[in-house]
Amino acid sequence: MDIQGKRALVTGASGGIGRACALMLARNGASTVVLADIDEKGLADLAADIGRLGAEALTETVDLSDSAAAIAMYESAEKRSGGLDIIHNNAGIMGGPPDFPDDNIGRMIAATQINLIAMMIGTKMGVDFMRARGVPGVIINTASTAALGPLPKDPAYAASKRGILAYSESCKPLHAEFGIRVVPLCPAVTDTPIVAKDAAWLQPILESIRLLTPEEIAREVRRIIEDDGLSGEAVVVNNEPLAQ
Ligand SMILES: NC(=O)c1ccc[n+]([C@@H]2O[C@H](COP(=O)([O-])OP(=O)(O)OC[C@H]3O[C@@H](n4cnc5c(N)ncnc54)[C@H](O)[C@@H]3O)[C@@H](O)[C@H]2O)c1
């Protein structure tokens, strides 16, 4: 799909990866970018930057841990934009600190709500919108390389990410049937605020790899949108090892 003239929604838009992806969409000619996040100030700053790039920016302040609020936000984004062609379900949180098993159940539930339930809501509603309008579309769900193996210090995060990977992979037939591509994206460690860089367990990892940048992830998102052959299978973006 050519990004030029398309209408897109990015959740978690105020954060590292979402912000870079929203800017990438505007730079590549998206006509409208709906920006959704709980961080209202971050949304306002980003909307000004998107406007300067010549795209229309619409903001949606929302707490995606509240499923009713999530449903209302997707409805509003579809209506206000005039119909979404690209949906990037991206907002997420980690379970700690403190790390498992000292984490708390409320945070575990919130991680599941935001990382899994809200992404499933956004995928299902996006598919409904695109089918109703009879148009092709691309839905990208930010999972993680944490979906691909165990994460002993944050099992709720790994479970939520493996869940959205399974959901997205299961949407593969929608491509042949309706022209709607659902693509799970699995970034490895990326330099954004979600990464607790002072956590002891992360130190050996941080010392051995080069952190990805949000802009590198945005380049992959652009490739996913533009490559009409990609559907259902995970796009994994790995860290390069640092030279010893
Ligand atoms: N940074 C990494 O190493 C990494 C690796 C793999 C996957 N991811 C995933 O990438 C996505 C983006 O994360 P990021 O790295 O940019 O981190 P980030 O913390 O910079 O961005 C996350 C965004 O989600 C928003 N958010 C949090 N709770 C919310 C809520 N209840 N309602 C609405 N918005 C909410 C935050 O305000 C923030 O803007 C997440 O799904 C994350 O799990 C990140």
Side-chain angles (χ1 to χ4, degrees), residues 25-53:
L25 288 161
R27 282 195 190 102
N28 286 281
S31 59
T32 299
V33 189
V34 186
L35 311 166
D37 205 287
I38 199 168
D39 171 4
E40 197 167 3
K41 163 87 171 59
L43 286 180
D45 292 348
L46 176 59
D49 290 343
I50 298 265
R52 278 190 282 276
L53 289 167

mmCIF file of all heavy atoms in Angstrom, residues 25-53:
data_model
loop_
_atom_site.group_PDB
_atom_site.id
_atom_site.type_symbol
_atom_site.label_atom_id
_atom_site.label_comp_id
_atom_site.label_asym_id
_atom_site.label_seq_id
_atom_site.Cartn_x
_atom_site.Cartn_y
_atom_site.Cartn_z
ATOM 1 N N LEU A 25 4.829 8.313 8.940
ATOM 2 C CA LEU A 25 3.607 8.325 8.119
ATOM 3 C C LEU A 25 3.385 9.712 7.513
ATOM 4 O O LEU A 25 3.081 9.839 6.325
ATOM 5 C CB LEU A 25 2.401 7.906 8.964
ATOM 6 C CG LEU A 25 2.361 6.410 9.330
ATOM 7 C CD1 LEU A 25 1.431 6.163 10.509
ATOM 8 C CD2 LEU A 25 1.930 5.583 8.121
ATOM 9 N N ALA A 26 3.547 10.747 8.332
ATOM 10 C CA ALA A 26 3.356 12.114 7.825
ATOM 11 C C ALA A 26 4.400 12.454 6.766
ATOM 12 O O ALA A 26 4.079 13.027 5.726
ATOM 13 C CB ALA A 26 3.414 13.102 8.990
ATOM 14 N N ARG A 27 5.659 12.065 7.019
ATOM 15 C CA ARG A 27 6.737 12.367 6.044
ATOM 16 C C ARG A 27 6.494 11.675 4.706
ATOM 17 O O ARG A 27 6.941 12.157 3.672
ATOM 18 C CB ARG A 27 8.094 11.893 6.589
ATOM 19 C CG ARG A 27 8.660 12.816 7.617
ATOM 20 C CD ARG A 27 10.137 12.563 7.898
ATOM 21 N NE ARG A 27 10.497 13.346 9.054
ATOM 22 C CZ ARG A 27 10.635 12.867 10.283
ATOM 23 N NH1 ARG A 27 10.514 11.576 10.508
ATOM 24 N NH2 ARG A 27 10.922 13.666 11.290
ATOM 25 N N ASN A 28 5.804 10.540 4.738
ATOM 26 C CA ASN A 28 5.590 9.787 3.501
ATOM 27 C C ASN A 28 4.219 10.040 2.884
ATOM 28 O O ASN A 28 3.755 9.271 2.050
ATOM 29 C CB ASN A 28 5.830 8.296 3.756
ATOM 30 C CG ASN A 28 7.311 8.001 3.907
ATOM 31 O OD1 ASN A 28 8.034 7.910 2.923
ATOM 32 N ND2 ASN A 28 7.778 7.920 5.151
ATOM 33 N N GLY A 29 3.568 11.130 3.318
ATOM 34 C CA GLY A 29 2.397 11.605 2.588
ATOM 35 C C GLY A 29 1.047 11.193 3.115
ATOM 36 O O GLY A 29 0.036 11.426 2.421
ATOM 37 N N ALA A 30 0.989 10.579 4.313
ATOM 38 C CA ALA A 30 -0.341 10.280 4.875
ATOM 39 C C ALA A 30 -1.122 11.587 4.969
ATOM 40 O O ALA A 30 -0.572 12.619 5.342
ATOM 41 C CB ALA A 30 -0.205 9.632 6.248
ATOM 42 N N SER A 31 -2.414 11.533 4.636
ATOM 43 C CA SER A 31 -3.191 12.781 4.672
ATOM 44 C C SER A 31 -3.624 13.100 6.094
ATOM 45 O O SER A 31 -3.644 14.259 6.508
ATOM 46 C CB SER A 31 -4.410 12.674 3.753
ATOM 47 O OG SER A 31 -5.218 11.586 4.156
ATOM 48 N N THR A 32 -3.962 12.049 6.874
ATOM 49 C CA THR A 32 -4.429 12.227 8.253
ATOM 50 C C THR A 32 -3.749 11.187 9.140
ATOM 51 O O THR A 32 -3.667 10.015 8.757
ATOM 52 C CB THR A 32 -5.963 12.005 8.330
ATOM 53 O OG1 THR A 32 -6.604 12.963 7.495
ATOM 54 C CG2 THR A 32 -6.484 12.145 9.745
ATOM 55 N N VAL A 33 -3.254 11.624 10.291
ATOM 56 C CA VAL A 33 -2.709 10.676 11.261
ATOM 57 C C VAL A 33 -3.442 10.908 12.585
ATOM 58 O O VAL A 33 -3.363 11.985 13.165
ATOM 59 C CB VAL A 33 -1.184 10.830 11.455
ATOM 60 C CG1 VAL A 33 -0.653 9.677 12.309
ATOM 61 C CG2 VAL A 33 -0.451 10.888 10.116
ATOM 62 N N VAL A 34 -4.198 9.892 13.018
ATOM 63 C CA VAL A 34 -4.856 9.963 14.323
ATOM 64 C C VAL A 34 -3.857 9.462 15.363
ATOM 65 O O VAL A 34 -3.277 8.375 15.208
ATOM 66 C CB VAL A 34 -6.147 9.115 14.376
ATOM 67 C CG1 VAL A 34 -6.872 9.351 15.698
ATOM 68 C CG2 VAL A 34 -7.059 9.429 13.202
ATOM 69 N N LEU A 35 -3.647 10.264 16.393
ATOM 70 C CA LEU A 35 -2.641 9.971 17.411
ATOM 71 C C LEU A 35 -3.375 9.647 18.703
ATOM 72 O O LEU A 35 -4.107 10.501 19.232
ATOM 73 C CB LEU A 35 -1.748 11.191 17.616
ATOM 74 C CG LEU A 35 -1.182 11.829 16.335
ATOM 75 C CD1 LEU A 35 -0.613 13.207 16.631
ATOM 76 C CD2 LEU A 35 -0.129 10.917 15.719
ATOM 77 N N ALA A 36 -3.199 8.438 19.234
ATOM 78 C CA ALA A 36 -3.903 8.044 20.465
ATOM 79 C C ALA A 36 -2.896 7.696 21.548
ATOM 80 O O ALA A 36 -1.921 6.974 21.299
ATOM 81 C CB ALA A 36 -4.810 6.846 20.182
ATOM 82 N N ASP A 37 -3.145 8.185 22.734
ATOM 83 C CA ASP A 37 -2.242 7.896 23.857
ATOM 84 C C ASP A 37 -2.910 8.384 25.141
ATOM 85 O O ASP A 37 -3.862 9.178 25.109
ATOM 86 C CB ASP A 37 -0.897 8.613 23.673
ATOM 87 C CG ASP A 37 0.255 7.928 24.409
ATOM 88 O OD1 ASP A 37 0.309 8.012 25.644
ATOM 89 O OD2 ASP A 37 1.110 7.307 23.727
ATOM 90 N N ILE A 38 -2.379 7.946 26.279
ATOM 91 C CA ILE A 38 -2.846 8.456 27.571
ATOM 92 C C ILE A 38 -2.129 9.763 27.913
ATOM 93 O O ILE A 38 -2.588 10.527 28.755
ATOM 94 C CB ILE A 38 -2.619 7.368 28.670
ATOM 95 C CG1 ILE A 38 -3.483 7.648 29.890
ATOM 96 C CG2 ILE A 38 -1.133 7.234 29.035
ATOM 97 C CD1 ILE A 38 -3.536 6.478 30.884
ATOM 98 N N ASP A 39 -0.997 10.013 27.264
ATOM 99 C CA ASP A 39 -0.154 11.181 27.534
ATOM 100 C C ASP A 39 -0.594 12.358 26.653
ATOM 101 O O ASP A 39 -0.172 12.497 25.511
ATOM 102 C CB ASP A 39 1.313 10.796 27.278
ATOM 103 C CG ASP A 39 2.264 11.983 27.323
ATOM 104 O OD1 ASP A 39 1.824 13.114 27.630
ATOM 105 O OD2 ASP A 39 3.457 11.768 27.033
ATOM 106 N N GLU A 40 -1.455 13.212 27.226
ATOM 107 C CA GLU A 40 -2.073 14.292 26.457
ATOM 108 C C GLU A 40 -1.049 15.318 25.976
ATOM 109 O O GLU A 40 -1.109 15.784 24.838
ATOM 110 C CB GLU A 40 -3.118 14.974 27.357
ATOM 111 C CG GLU A 40 -4.093 15.815 26.606
ATOM 112 C CD GLU A 40 -5.280 16.213 27.475
ATOM 113 O OE1 GLU A 40 -5.323 15.878 28.668
ATOM 114 O OE2 GLU A 40 -6.173 16.877 26.919
ATOM 115 N N LYS A 41 -0.088 15.635 26.834
ATOM 116 C CA LYS A 41 0.929 16.642 26.471
ATOM 117 C C LYS A 41 1.782 16.127 25.304
ATOM 118 O O LYS A 41 2.070 16.846 24.350
ATOM 119 C CB LYS A 41 1.778 16.922 27.720
ATOM 120 C CG LYS A 41 3.107 17.596 27.488
ATOM 121 C CD LYS A 41 2.963 19.108 27.470
ATOM 122 C CE LYS A 41 4.273 19.859 27.445
ATOM 123 N NZ LYS A 41 5.161 19.588 26.327
ATOM 124 N N GLY A 42 2.164 14.847 25.391
ATOM 125 C CA GLY A 42 2.950 14.246 24.309
ATOM 126 C C GLY A 42 2.187 14.282 22.995
ATOM 127 O O GLY A 42 2.770 14.542 21.931
ATOM 128 N N LEU A 43 0.879 14.060 23.064
ATOM 129 C CA LEU A 43 0.043 14.089 21.850
ATOM 130 C C LEU A 43 0.028 15.488 21.238
ATOM 131 O O LEU A 43 0.141 15.644 20.013
ATOM 132 C CB LEU A 43 -1.392 13.677 22.177
ATOM 133 C CG LEU A 43 -1.658 12.197 22.452
ATOM 134 C CD1 LEU A 43 -3.125 11.975 22.762
ATOM 135 C CD2 LEU A 43 -1.222 11.335 21.276
ATOM 136 N N ALA A 44 -0.110 16.509 22.096
ATOM 137 C CA ALA A 44 -0.178 17.891 21.590
ATOM 138 C C ALA A 44 1.136 18.267 20.900
ATOM 139 O O ALA A 44 1.138 18.868 19.821
ATOM 140 C CB ALA A 44 -0.486 18.842 22.745
ATOM 141 N N ASP A 45 2.266 17.896 21.512
ATOM 142 C CA ASP A 45 3.576 18.208 20.905
ATOM 143 C C ASP A 45 3.719 17.517 19.552
ATOM 144 O O ASP A 45 4.163 18.117 18.569
ATOM 145 C CB ASP A 45 4.717 17.734 21.827
ATOM 146 C CG ASP A 45 4.780 18.543 23.100
ATOM 147 O OD1 ASP A 45 4.112 19.599 23.167
ATOM 148 O OD2 ASP A 45 5.485 18.110 24.042
ATOM 149 N N LEU A 46 3.335 16.238 19.524
ATOM 150 C CA LEU A 46 3.474 15.468 18.277
ATOM 151 C C LEU A 46 2.534 16.007 17.202
ATOM 152 O O LEU A 46 2.923 16.104 16.024
ATOM 153 C CB LEU A 46 3.196 13.982 18.557
ATOM 154 C CG LEU A 46 3.217 13.054 17.347
ATOM 155 C CD1 LEU A 46 4.569 13.082 16.640
ATOM 156 C CD2 LEU A 46 2.888 11.618 17.784
ATOM 157 N N ALA A 47 1.318 16.376 17.604
ATOM 158 C CA ALA A 47 0.356 16.897 16.618
ATOM 159 C C ALA A 47 0.909 18.140 15.939
ATOM 160 O O ALA A 47 0.749 18.324 14.720
ATOM 161 C CB ALA A 47 -0.980 17.197 17.298
ATOM 162 N N ALA A 48 1.594 18.989 16.706
ATOM 163 C CA ALA A 48 2.192 20.204 16.114
ATOM 164 C C ALA A 48 3.264 19.801 15.098
ATOM 165 O O ALA A 48 3.325 20.362 13.995
ATOM 166 C CB ALA A 48 2.777 21.070 17.219
ATOM 167 N N ASP A 49 4.093 18.815 15.438
ATOM 168 C CA ASP A 49 5.145 18.359 14.504
ATOM 169 C C ASP A 49 4.537 17.757 13.238
ATOM 170 O O ASP A 49 5.009 17.982 12.128
ATOM 171 C CB ASP A 49 6.044 17.315 15.179
ATOM 172 C CG ASP A 49 6.916 17.932 16.263
ATOM 173 O OD1 ASP A 49 7.056 19.171 16.274
ATOM 174 O OD2 ASP A 49 7.437 17.163 17.098
ATOM 175 N N ILE A 50 3.470 16.979 13.415
ATOM 176 C CA ILE A 50 2.817 16.337 12.252
ATOM 177 C C ILE A 50 2.207 17.429 11.353
ATOM 178 O O ILE A 50 2.307 17.359 10.124
ATOM 179 C CB ILE A 50 1.711 15.367 12.738
ATOM 180 C CG1 ILE A 50 2.314 14.248 13.582
ATOM 181 C CG2 ILE A 50 0.856 14.858 11.580
ATOM 182 C CD1 ILE A 50 2.635 12.978 12.917
ATOM 183 N N GLY A 51 1.594 18.422 11.977
ATOM 184 C CA GLY A 51 1.000 19.525 11.210
ATOM 185 C C GLY A 51 2.051 20.243 10.379
ATOM 186 O O GLY A 51 1.812 20.581 9.215
ATOM 187 N N ARG A 52 3.231 20.450 10.969
ATOM 188 C CA ARG A 52 4.309 21.127 10.228
ATOM 189 C C ARG A 52 4.763 20.301 9.027
ATOM 190 O O ARG A 52 5.289 20.834 8.057
ATOM 191 C CB ARG A 52 5.511 21.402 11.157
ATOM 192 C CG ARG A 52 5.325 22.670 12.013
ATOM 193 C CD ARG A 52 6.605 23.051 12.731
ATOM 194 N NE ARG A 52 6.833 22.220 13.895
ATOM 195 C CZ ARG A 52 6.307 22.441 15.101
ATOM 196 N NH1 ARG A 52 5.542 23.494 15.304
ATOM 197 N NH2 ARG A 52 6.551 21.626 16.112
ATOM 198 N N LEU A 53 4.544 18.982 9.089
ATOM 199 C CA LEU A 53 4.923 18.124 7.953
ATOM 200 C C LEU A 53 3.829 18.093 6.880
ATOM 201 O O LEU A 53 3.955 17.413 5.865
ATOM 202 C CB LEU A 53 5.212 16.706 8.445
ATOM 203 C CG LEU A 53 6.507 16.551 9.267
ATOM 204 C CD1 LEU A 53 6.540 15.192 9.974
ATOM 205 C CD2 LEU A 53 7.729 16.701 8.372
#
